[in-house]
Amino acid sequence: AQSVTQLDSHVSVSEGTPVLLRCNYSSSYSPSLFWYVQHPNKGLQLLLKYTSAATLVKGINGFEAEFKKSETSFHLTKPSAHMSDAAEYFCVVSDRVGGATNKLIFGTGTLLAVQP
Amino acid sequence: DSGVTQTPKHLITATGQRVTLRCSPRSGDLSVYWYQQSLDQGLQFLIQYYNGEERAKGNILERFSAQQFPDLHSELNLSSLELGDSALYFCASSPIPGGDTQYFGPGTRLTVL
């Protein structure tokens, strides 16, 4: 079965410093992996998606993630945090249920706080 | 804005009641997914419809049901509500049935008192 583990429930950084949100995955086949962001009282927004085309994936708002098969990791990074990045981030793996169905399996989330 | 709409935004009701949540997918998307986000269970897949037919079920309770209509909007019906059903319910849509990029609506926050 597919699963993802987010290694930190809370991360706090100062504005202008790098962000690292860690995610490990478990998959019996080549996975599709995603990062979604949820701002307070908002819906889920897709940040980026990995589907085996390139191991380094660039997303919106300066975020990127690197797929490392040897480490079964898909960590999210950003060189310089902005106050508006404060939100909850979810690492997600797509699970083929059967036929033409993909359900998303969410990690437990990492709450990112950005200090001024 | 993802293009997926959900109504209502908030819903407050009492235990034992029945409610209906509505979702309109992005224009052209045939597949609709429902997810539940609660404090104790996190984000969980409930059910998927494609072009009016049920395609997959996840951790959906028997008290819950869904359907997708010919105009592709979907409704999630929750009955005999319990306090533990209080959660944020998200709808997502994707362009093709096996498409794994899903676009989420803003959610409906259900509070059961």
Side-chain angles (χ1 to χ4, degrees):
Chain A
Q2 316 292 85
S3 67
V4 286
T5 302
Q6 291 186 244
L7 301 171
D8 307 292
S9 58
H10 292 82
V11 169
S12 182
V13 301
S14 298
E15 191 175 20
T17 64
V19 175
L20 170 64
L21 306 184
R22 300 182 295 164
C23 173
N24 286 350
Y25 71 90
S26 174
S27 176
S28 52
Y29 49 81
S30 184
S32 291
L33 293 161
F34 309 79
W35 277 96
Y36 279 83
V37 61
Q38 185 177 25
H39 287 92
N41 300 312
K42 298 282 188 184
L44 292 154
Q45 182 182 21
L46 179 65
L47 273 182
L48 50 81
K49 170 184 175 181
Y50 166 78
T51 54
S52 78
T55 56
L56 185 61
V57 183
K58 293 191 184 298
I60 61 171
N61 300 333
F63 284 95
E64 61 183 38
E66 186 171 8
F67 175 77
K68 290 187 177 179
K69 188 174 180 180
S70 60
E71 298 176 10
T72 60
S73 68
F74 189 58
H75 301 335
L76 181 70
T77 60
K78 182 172 180 178
S80 176
H82 192 272
M83 295 297 290
S84 61
D85 295 328
E88 188 155 25
Y89 291 79
F90 293 94
C91 182
V92 180
V93 65
S94 175
D95 187 15
R96 286 195 171 77
V97 176
T101 292
N102 281 307
K103 68 174 184 178
L104 298 182
I105 297 174
F106 285 78
T108 50
T110 298
L111 194 59
L112 175 65
V114 182
Q115 309 299 328
Chain B
D1 185 359
S2 67
V4 178
T5 60
Q6 290 185 248
T7 56
K9 199 170 183 180
H10 300 278
L11 200 47
I12 301 174
T13 188
T15 54
Q17 295 299 304
R18 183 181 191 275
V19 297
T20 297
L21 313 184
R22 181 188 169 104
C23 167
S24 292
R26 297 186 324 156
S27 178
D29 285 0
L30 299 179
S31 202
V32 169
Y33 302 77
W34 285 97
Y35 292 83
Q36 179 195 58
Q37 184 179 31
S38 62
L39 284 175
D40 53 346
Q41 299 288 331
L43 262 159
Q44 291 193 100
F45 167 73
L46 294 178
I47 196 164
Q48 180 210 2
Y49 276 81
Y50 170 70
N51 205 20
E53 291 189 6
E54 182 185 302
R55 272 296 173 97
K57 268 188 174 180
N59 299 324
I60 188 166
L61 300 171
E62 284 192 13
R63 300 184 285 108
F64 296 0
S65 64
Q67 52 185 329
Q68 186 179 28
F69 295 85
D71 67 352
L72 300 177
H73 90 271
S74 177
E75 292 180 356
L76 180 67
N77 301 297
L78 315 176
S79 61
S80 302
L81 285 168
E82 301 174 2
L83 296 177
D85 298 328
S86 297
L88 197 49
Y89 292 85
F90 286 109
C91 167
S93 71
S94 68
I96 55 177
D100 53 12
T101 300
Q102 296 178 20
Y103 299 90
F104 283 76
T108 293
R109 183 169 295 281
L110 173 67
T111 302
V112 182
L113 300 175

